[in-house]
Every structure is written in C-alpha cells, then in structure tokens.
Amino acid sequence: MAEEDDTKIRILQSLRGKICEAKNLGPSSGPNRLRDLCTLCTISLDQEEVYRTKVYEKSVSPFYGEDFYFEIPRPFQCLSFYVYAKSMFQIRDLPVGKVAIRKEDLYKYCGKENWFQLQPVDPHSEVQGKVHLEMKLNELITENGSICQQLVVQIIACQGLPLISGQNCDPYATVTLVGPARSDQKKTKVKKKTSDPQFDETFHFEVTRSSSYKGRSHFHVEEEDIEKLEIKVELWNNGNLAQDVFLGETRVSVKILRNDHVHRAWYLLQPKGNGTKSKPDDLGSLRLKVTYTEDNVLPSACYTALRNLMLKSPDVKPISASAAHVLGDICRESVGYEALLPVVRLLLHHNRLLHFLTSVAALELENTQEANTIFRGNSLATRCIDDMMKIVGKSYLTVTLKPVLNEIFESNKTCEIDPVKLKEGDNVEVNKENLQGYVQKVFTSITQSSSSCPPLMCDVFRSLRQLASKRFPADPHVQYSAVSSFIFLRFFAVAVLSPHTFQLRTHHPDPEISRTLTLISKTIQSLGSWGSLSKNKLSSFKETYMYDFFKLFQEDECIEKVKKFLDEISSNVSKESSGVEDSFVLKEGEVHKRAQGRKRIGKKNFKKRWLRVTNQELSYHKQKGKEALCVIPVKNILGVEKLEESAFNRKNMFQVIHSEKPLYVQAGNCVETNSWIEVLSQVSRCNPGRLSTFHPSAYVGGSWLCCKELNENTPGCKPCTATVLANIQLDIDCDRETERIFSFFSSNRSRLQKMEDACAGMSVYLGQQEECSAFTIQDPKETFRTIKELGEVLDDLQAHHDSKGALTDEPGTIENPIVGKTA
C-alpha cells in the first residue's frame, strides 16, 4: 500500500495465529459422541466465515496444526472459532461447539497458546451488526388541559447484518416498550435483500397518562415508573414460509432521556437475553494461538522524524549504535526479534536494506569464533536476513517448489523409511525409492533455479560470502557455508517442511505427507549444507536409516551441483534477465462470477467458477483443472475495485475493469474479497493506461446505477484507489510499518531507559558493567546519543497520538457504537 498523506487516522487490523488441536470433542456421553465423525474448524468475524481448515480424520482429539494470517478489512465485534463434525449422511456440517472471543478481550491471549472450553452453538447468540436509534420524550396537552408524556422512537437504519444462507437477509425490526407491568410492541416494514436496511420509521408510545384518562388499559398508571422503562429493539429476518430468524437485539433505558430530551446513537446488536442459562455439556476444548494487531496509523507527516531516524541506521558507526539495532536489542527478551520485521520492510522499501544487513552480519562475524558455526544461531542478523528472504523470495519459492510439492501432495506415495514407524504391509525398499525420487526432484529444482533468485537475495549472499572469507581467510569453504546456511537451511528446507506457512499450499499437510516432507527437508539440508567439504556428510546423521538412505546419493556429484548453484547466486557477475518471466500462480479459488453481457439482474446470471491469477494472466474455469473459459492478460487490466452491494444485492463483490466489459466477481467473504483485490491490483499496478476513475456500481437497464449516466462508455464517477508504480514484492505501507516500530519502542520504554543508563555508566566508569551485558554497546557515547534522540522523537509522536486520540469519535457514532445491553 502506498503512504497516505491523509488527515484521518487509519485503523488497520490483522490477525495471525494457529488452530493447534482439540481434545475430547462432543458430549461426554449419549448418542452424539463424535467417535465416528470427521471434524473441521472455521474462523468467523462475527457471523461471516473467513477461514476453514481441511477435514481431519475420525478422532475426538484431532491435531489441526493450521496457521492463519489475514488482514481484517472491516469493523467486527467478535472473533469465533467453530468446530464442526462432518458426516456423509448429513447435508450440512453439525456444529460441535465454538470459542467466541470479544474484540476487546483479544489482547489477553496475544501471542500465547491457550486451551479454550468449547461452548454450545445457540442460534440466538449468533449475532452481528448495529442499529441506529433516536429516542425523545414529547409532552402532550390533553383535551382537558392536563399534560402527559409520549416516547417517540425512530428506527433509522441498521448496518452489517449477517448473510442468511450466503445471501442478504430480508430484515425487519420490532420495537417494544418494556416496563414492570407493560410490553407494547410495534413492527417495521420488511426490507428486501439487504444487510444495511434503511428503515426511517417512527413509533409513539404513551409513557404516562393523566388521572382523568378513562380508556381501557392493561396496566395501571400508579404502577409505572419511568426509571424502570426500557426500549427493546429486535432485528429479525423475514422467513416468508419458513421460521423468522433472530438477528440480534439491544435495550436502551428510557431514563437516558432524563438529562437530554433527544438521544440519537448507534448500538451494537447483542445476543438474545434469555435469563439464566443451564450448565452446558462438556463439549471438549480447543488449543489456539491468537495474535490480534490494531495499528492506529496517523497522517504520514507525523512519522517523518522516526522514519528518518530508522532510515539513517545503515550509515551509523558502529551499527550497534543505530536506532534499528537498538530496537532489536531492547525487544529481544519481550518479543524475540519480532520487532525487526517492520524495520526490514521499511528499509527494503527505501532501498536501504542491503547496507544494513551487511553491517549487522559483519558485527555477528566479529563474535563468531569458529567457521563451522557461522550464522547458525537465532541472532539479529540471521532474523533480519530470514525476514528479507520471506518478503522478496515468495515468488521464487512459488516457481521453484510449488510444482514439485503439488506432485508430492497429489501422488501421496508412502515414504516412511524408519523401521520403527513402518506400517503393516509397507515395503521399506519401495518407500526408499519413492523418497529418493521426491528428494531428487526437489534438489534438482533448487539447484537449477539460480536465474529466478531475486537480485536482492543475490546481493546479500555476495556480501555474506565476502565477509566470511575476510573473517576466516584460512578456510576455503566458509564462503559457501555462509550462503548455504541461509538458502538451504533457513529458506528451502523450511519451506519444504511447512509449505502452508509460505502460501505454497492452502492447508497443513496430513500426518503421512507431513512425515514425507520432514524426511525430504532433512535430506535437502544435508545435501545443501556446507559445514566442511573435508568431512563426510554422513556423519551428520544420528539415525541409521537416514545414514543408509543418504548413501543412495552420489555425494561428489551433489557437491558440484550445490557449489555451482551457490556460485551463481552469490557471484560478482550481475544476472541478466532473459526478458521472459516464468508464469506462476499467485492466487486461485472458487468464486461466483456474473455472466458477461447480461442485461437483466437475477440469480441465474451468477455461476460458480474457478478463478486463477498468475503473474501473466487472469482466467476463469468451470472447475479446477479444466480448460479456461476466458483469459484476460494482466497487461489489459485497467483497474480492480470493490463493487457496491446495491449493484446486484450481493456482498463481497469486486470488478476487474479491462478492455472488454467489466468482470464482476463475488468472493466468499470480506477477507477473500480483500485478498483478490490486493493480488490483482499488485500484479497490474504498473500497467500503462490504468484508469483514474471508475463506476462503483453496474450498468443495468440502460444506465449506470451509481451516477445515472445513460452512456455505457462515460468515464467513471469515483476516483480509483490510489496506486504507486512499484515492484509487486515491495507493496509496503511505510506509515504502518513506522507505527509498528513506534509501538514496539513504546512498550519497551523501560528497557530503553535501562540501555541509556548502561551507556551512561560505561562512559563514567570506563568499562563494561554487569547491567550492560544484556545489551550490545560498542560505543557508549554514540549509542547514548541515539537513545536520547529516539526519546525525543517518541515523545513527539506520542503527543501526536494523544492529540488525535482526543478527537476520536464519542460513543454512539457509527465508528464507535455503544455496546447494547441485554436482559
């Protein structure tokens, strides 16, 4: 994303974590025991499912092991994890239980694994959305001159109601005045096919009546107390012939009008208040790791000072006195080296990363005593280079490993060679042959991939090679081990072991394939490692079966291939591009696509299709693996934008604008919509002729629904989302990264102060003190100067946050709705 110079605060949310395992699923007794059923997990934002694991085999204590990460593109109240049982005899998945965590409680579980007790899935608790209300008290003069009070309630609108069976609902609201001796209910009209209904309906309720009132009534005035009255608003989906579905409720006390005769606010909808709840059955538990991040990103100008200080880091001498190194030092105990990722991304975007990586690698080598331990630890230097490879090497992994990994997953040959783990009927020789074939394909794919290695990775490897040779001039092999310890051990071997974490596969592999990948990864590490050419690599294997397996490979031949590969990716000769880029898949999945060129609106116009995006073309297919029904070259894409829900009464739609008619696509959920738009925007952002304006709705019935223009070719009525010409791999929001850096510094100010005190102590007492051992301080005066400058910059940025925070919305706004109460 580009840096934005906007006056508003951007609230950017992301979620990462892991669905680890479950235990003792299902009721502890009775006919619903899940012993014979397979299970799966889903993640929902409120009631919108945004992630689904694959189905796991019959077990009441399954191991899922699925990592997830996504940007959250909209406000939400609750994050929920559902466990479902899947049966061949059931049309729909059976809910076993759920874990629901309110947004404000997510910080309690940040970054740690926790066991959560599963709760029952009750339809009346599955709510989302908000409602806009206005209440006021009017005084009326009756015919005999006495005064009575009338409560006026206006249901203005709702927003974010859930989808029902994947489609927009048909909502209506009931409004009830509830008191100790009364319950007067009124109802709005039904709004068709919308999750954001506009009601604008007003209802009147008598609150008090004069003593002379003679009308029939089911309550007595003397029993009424305005302090005890409340308005209950319930939202329902009109089921027509089926039963109406509860969508949520909120209650507002009438006494809120004591000090203000008019109250107007947005309220979050809540589950149905159903009194005391019986103790639920023990449905089992789920182990989860959840990290929710919310960045309140200020206007770009606020970050200038901190950003410049971080970008100056590569030039600071010694490097340990730089702001970037100080951040890694003070955060090492609290979050490991997690704080370095935004630093790497920021330096990468501004083309300052290579110099910084070279400097921190040189510092680490100064403290490395033996050549065979080079870059083996988890240090600031190795973590920064790891992060760099993961950012810029994504497409490199896709080109190199994805085809062979797909083959391994789809053919699923048995490869177990440990005699202890062999199953009955397994043939160890056949398994060994299967494994050898897979390893050979992976190894060949890697060693022949040098032309695809990103230039920045090549530059870093070249620097590492030179530094290592300078540090250990007597060892002719250290120049290779310095590179192989990253490219093989920390890049390819890790990606083979966990392809789902590198987006090479959608889900965590099943246990058998996972075991195969483990064996391949171990062999690739040994084939590619360069501890010393003088030692026999067979000595690196502790297991006899791995020792025997490794002897199948012609080691001298493999050494030559690895040496040639390492030379190619770290030599002084700049690579020349062939001009022809290999095609690789960036994203694919099932969507609903509107038929091109249709004039009428209807469900039949939308068909399930398999959408596929490569770096060269966008195509859709009837099913996965089938021939393309339509191919759109990436160079022809002129814009990718969201589509208004009103265009086809469907959520989560986007449009691909190209030389022909726009392609209208509905994704499965808000996260998927965001992901498709992001990938397509990135891959086409450098196209000449990209549009500056677009139509946010569709051309139907002879006019554009958005601007009512009759000419189909009229220019768009809304500016396109801002894009910057940049490499697809460097799509970095620098303001957000700087905000993350500020957050890490802020949460570790006490450590920063300790480091400042250590610098002062070293300067005064001229030596390394005991309290200094926790930090890397080579030059106390230069480090002290950096920390003082950091303190001033952080204080100034905190002041910007405080002033902006004072301007945030009061409770009751659409951005900050009131949490409604229940009975």
Side-chain angles (χ1 to χ4, degrees):
M1 188 185 296
E3 293 178 55
E4 295 184 14
D5 191 11
D6 196 356
T7 56
K8 291 186 67 177
I9 294 179
R10 293 183 292 139
I11 300 176
L12 303 176
Q13 311 168 100
S14 64
L15 190 74
R16 73 168 63 247
K18 188 172 191 175
I19 302 173
C20 303
E21 61 178 315
K23 64 181 179 184
N24 303 325
L25 292 179
S28 55
S29 61
N32 296 322
R33 192 63 170 160
L34 300 177
R35 195 168 283 110
D36 298 325
L37 293 179
C38 303
T39 60
L40 60 97
C41 281
T42 67
I43 303 176
S44 291
L45 296 173
D46 299 323
Q47 293 310 298
E48 184 179 16
E49 183 182 308
V50 295
Y51 181 84
R52 174 171 285 238
T53 70
K54 65 180 185 180
V55 178
Y56 286 80
E57 293 302 315
K58 301 173 183 177
S59 172
V60 294
S61 298
F63 179 80
Y64 297 110
E66 296 220 9
D67 299 279
F68 58 85
Y69 171 79
F70 49 84
E71 298 287 320
I72 301 175
R74 62 167 178 80
F76 72 102
Q77 300 175 44
C78 190
L79 175 71
S80 300
F81 297 82
Y82 291 82
V83 177
Y84 288 97
K86 202 168 188 68
S87 170
M88 64 180 71
F89 304 111
Q90 297 285 343
I91 297 175
R92 300 183 65 183
D93 299 335
L94 301 172
V96 177
K98 70 174 182 179
V99 174
I101 309 172
R102 294 198 66 83
K103 179 180 175 180
E104 59 267 25
D105 294 329
L106 282 169
Y107 75 93
K108 298 176 185 175
Y109 311 105
C110 187
K112 299 176 184 177
E113 289 187 3
N114 294 275
W115 281 100
F116 295 87
Q117 203 68 29
L118 289 177
Q119 302 299 317
V121 178
D122 171 16
H124 285 163
S125 70
E126 309 294 291
V127 304
Q128 72 175 62
K130 50 196 168 190
V131 60
H132 197 193
L133 304 176
E134 181 179 284
M135 295 168 49
K136 59 184 176 181
L137 279 174
N138 288 341
E139 291 187 342
L140 300 179
I141 301 177
T142 62
E143 291 179 359
N144 63 5
S146 60
I147 296 175
C148 69
Q149 287 184 308
Q150 184 185 57
L151 177 65
V152 182
V153 180
Q154 183 183 9
I155 303 291
I156 303 169
C158 285
Q159 215 179 62
L161 297 179
L163 301 178
I164 303 295
S165 301
Q167 301 297 323
N168 284 326
C169 54
D170 296 334
Y172 68 89
T174 61
V175 185
T176 309
L177 180 62
V178 181
R182 67 190 296 178
S183 181
D184 299 346
Q185 186 178 91
K186 303 178 188 296
K187 177 180 169 183
T188 69
K189 296 176 182 176
V190 175
K191 299 294 180 180
K192 292 289 187 180
K193 301 298 177 193
T194 177
S195 295
D196 303 317
Q198 196 75 26
F199 290 112
D200 291 319
E201 293 193 42
T202 303
F203 304 103
H204 300 83
F205 299 91
E206 292 183 43
V207 176
T208 59
R209 294 174 177 161
S210 65
S211 58
S212 62
Y213 181 75
K214 301 300 182 183
R216 296 182 62 186
S217 172
H218 64 277
F219 68 95
H220 300 288
V221 174
E222 57 269 17
E223 293 177 2
E224 286 293 313
D225 181 355
I226 195 171
E227 296 287 307
K228 298 176 182 178
L229 294 176
E230 65 179 15
I231 284 293
K232 178 175 73 172
V233 178
E234 292 182 319
L235 271 294
W236 296 85
N237 177 61
N238 181 38
N240 294 319
L241 299 178
Q243 186 176 358
D244 291 358
V245 177
F246 175 76
L247 301 178
E249 70 168 38
T250 192
R251 296 170 181 246
V252 186
S253 176
V254 175
K255 67 183 179 184
I256 202 169
L257 296 172
R258 280 183 306 184
N259 302 321
D260 188 359
H261 286 292
V262 178
H263 173 72
R264 186 183 179 108
W266 282 90
Y267 282 84
L268 287 176
L269 294 173
Q270 298 295 306
K272 183 180 282 292
N274 52 5
T276 58
K277 297 180 180 178
S278 59
K279 186 178 178 181
D281 288 335
D282 184 2
L283 301 173
S285 51
L286 192 61
R287 184 161 63 92
L288 302 169
K289 183 178 181 181
V290 180
T291 300
Y292 168 73
T293 304
E294 182 175 293
D295 297 318
N296 293 285
V297 183
L298 302 174
S300 189
C302 298
Y303 296 109
T304 301
L306 180 57
R307 184 168 54 240
N308 289 343
L309 193 56
M310 300 308 294
L311 293 176
K312 191 173 71 174
S313 292
D315 301 323
V316 174
K317 300 243 186 316
I319 193 65
S320 59
S322 68
H325 199 287
V326 167
L327 178 63
D329 234 9
I330 65 170
C331 294
R332 185 171 50 200
E333 290 185 2
S334 57
V335 292
Y337 288 113
E338 184 183 326
L340 293 171
L341 179 58
V343 175
V344 170
R345 293 173 67 85
L346 185 67
L347 294 174
L348 177 59
H349 182 87
H350 289 278
N351 202 27
R352 302 283 289 140
L353 184 58
L354 177 61
H355 189 14
F356 179 73
L357 293 181
T358 302
S359 298
V360 294
L363 176 59
E364 176 163 335
L365 282 172
E366 285 179 26
N367 300 311
T368 303
Q369 303 306 317
E370 296 183 22
N372 60 359
T373 63
I374 192 167
F375 298 126
R376 289 300 176 97
N378 186 29
S379 64
L380 185 146
T382 57
R383 181 58 188 265
C384 285
I385 296 173
D386 281 354
D387 287 339
M388 177 276 296
M389 291 192 299
K390 287 175 183 174
I391 296 168
V392 305
K394 280 178 68 176
S395 62
Y396 182 32
L397 284 175
T398 302
V399 170
T400 308
L401 292 183
K402 191 174 175 64
V404 65
L405 286 173
N406 287 344
E407 181 185 339
I408 292 168
F409 274 74
E410 288 158 16
S411 60
N412 193 16
K413 296 176 183 176
T414 305
C415 295
E416 184 56 71
I417 58 174
D418 183 354
V420 178
K421 296 182 179 180
L422 286 175
K423 295 179 182 177
E424 188 176 346
D426 280 354
N427 185 319
V428 70
E429 292 305 319
V430 172
N431 292 0
K432 196 180 290 186
E433 190 177 319
N434 292 339
L435 182 60
Q436 184 184 6
Y438 284 154
V439 169
Q440 198 63 58
K441 286 182 178 180
V442 173
F443 181 73
T444 301
S445 184
I446 291 171
T447 54
Q448 293 181 355
S449 68
S450 60
S451 62
S452 301
C453 188
L456 179 60
M457 287 176 63
C458 295
D459 291 340
V460 171
F461 295 151
R462 183 163 58 252
S463 293
L464 295 178
R465 185 172 176 168
Q466 293 168 352
L467 289 169
S469 296
K470 186 177 179 181
R471 176 69 178 86
F472 299 101
D475 189 333
H477 308 305
V478 72
Q479 59 177 314
Y480 294 111
S481 58
V483 178
S484 67
S485 62
F486 284 104
I487 193 69
F488 279 99
L489 273 65
R490 295 174 176 271
F491 189 61
F492 284 122
V494 178
V496 168
L497 190 64
S498 304
H500 55 292
T501 61
F502 290 84
Q503 290 82 53
L504 298 173
R505 295 290 298 184
T506 309
H507 296 297
H508 181 81
D510 62 39
E512 190 168 319
I513 293 179
S514 183
R515 174 63 178 163
T516 297
L517 296 179
T518 300
L519 294 170
I520 296 171
S521 180
K522 289 176 72 171
T523 312
I524 289 297
Q525 283 186 51
S526 295
L527 287 171
S529 69
W530 209 277
S532 173
L533 289 179
S534 60
K535 292 183 180 179
N536 191 320
K537 293 188 183 181
L538 293 172
S539 63
S540 64
F541 290 111
K542 297 175 183 177
E543 308 96 335
T544 305
Y545 64 88
M546 287 300 297
Y547 179 94
D548 292 337
F549 175 67
F550 197 79
K551 286 194 294 187
L552 297 174
F553 296 90
Q554 297 294 322
E555 191 171 3
D556 290 342
E557 184 181 325
C558 291
I559 286 173
E560 285 307 309
K561 288 181 179 179
V562 170
K563 183 175 181 295
K564 181 174 181 289
F565 171 67
L566 295 177
D567 279 334
E568 288 171 346
I569 63 172
S570 61
S571 65
N572 288 319
V573 181
S574 298
K575 294 189 308 176
E576 291 189 13
S577 171
S578 63
V580 179
E581 190 177 11
D582 291 332
S583 176
F584 55 90
V585 177
L586 295 168
K587 183 174 176 61
E588 57 183 336
E590 191 174 78
V591 298
H592 282 83
K593 182 198 72 70
R594 185 175 186 262
Q596 301 277 75
R598 299 281 179 88
K599 293 185 178 180
R600 59 185 178 82
I601 298 178
K603 287 185 180 179
K604 291 182 180 178
N605 286 348
F606 284 87
K607 302 284 188 183
K608 276 187 182 180
R609 292 291 181 258
W610 188 262
L611 198 64
R612 192 169 185 263
V613 185
T614 73
N615 55 322
Q616 296 178 358
E617 62 187 30
L618 165 67
S619 60
Y620 58 82
H621 314 246
K622 196 164 187 177
Q623 292 174 334
K624 183 180 181 180
K626 300 288 186 183
E627 286 188 16
L629 299 175
C630 176
V631 175
I632 301 170
V634 161
K635 63 182 181 182
N636 291 352
I637 295 177
L638 305 177
V640 186
E641 300 288 345
K642 287 186 177 178
L643 197 68
E644 288 180 352
E645 183 183 330
S646 57
F648 301 109
N649 284 326
R650 285 174 176 249
K651 278 182 170 293
N652 303 320
M653 288 203 65
F654 65 94
Q655 55 181 317
V656 181
I657 308 165
H658 59 109
S659 48
E660 304 296 328
K661 288 182 178 294
L663 179 67
Y664 296 125
V665 180
Q666 182 184 29
N669 55 61
C670 62
V671 171
E672 275 295 293
T673 306
N674 219 42
S675 178
W676 281 114
I677 293 173
E678 184 178 348
V679 168
L680 285 163
S681 296
Q682 287 177 0
V683 78
S684 63
R685 68 195 309 164
C686 298
N687 287 354
R690 277 186 66 99
L691 299 176
S692 58
T693 60
F694 76 105
H695 291 285
S697 197
Y699 185 81
V700 178
S703 69
W704 287 100
L705 298 179
C706 42
C707 57
K708 310 305 178 188
E709 287 286 342
L710 301 180
N711 184 356
E712 189 172 2
N713 297 317
T714 193
C717 56
K718 185 177 179 181
C720 284
T721 305
T723 59
V724 174
L725 298 182
N727 188 301
I728 181 174
Q729 297 166 337
L730 307 185
D731 183 50
I732 293 170
D733 182 341
C734 290
D735 292 343
R736 185 181 193 177
E737 302 304 337
T738 313
E739 171 61 28
R740 297 293 302 136
I741 291 168
F742 167 71
S743 298
F744 282 118
F745 270 125
S746 297
S747 58
N748 287 276
R749 281 301 286 264
S750 60
R751 293 268 300 166
L752 190 64
Q753 184 60 54
K754 286 181 181 178
M755 193 174 187
E756 182 180 335
D757 295 342
C759 290
M762 289 177 69
S763 297
V764 171
Y765 296 107
L766 302 176
Q768 186 79 21
Q769 308 298 312
E770 186 177 341
E771 64 270 18
C772 306
S773 59
F775 307 106
T776 305
I777 304 174
Q778 294 174 287
D779 185 333
K781 291 183 179 179
E782 188 65 35
T783 306
F784 184 85
R785 188 180 296 115
T786 298
I787 293 173
K788 292 299 287 184
E789 190 175 356
L790 269 171
E792 294 170 5
V793 169
L794 296 175
D795 289 342
D796 185 53
L797 190 47
Q798 185 60 56
H800 280 298
H801 270 283
D802 293 340
S803 64
K804 294 290 182 181
L807 301 175
T808 54
D809 299 294
E810 290 293 318
T813 61
I814 190 168
E815 294 84 7
N816 187 24
I818 298 169
V819 178
K821 69 172 187 173
T822 58

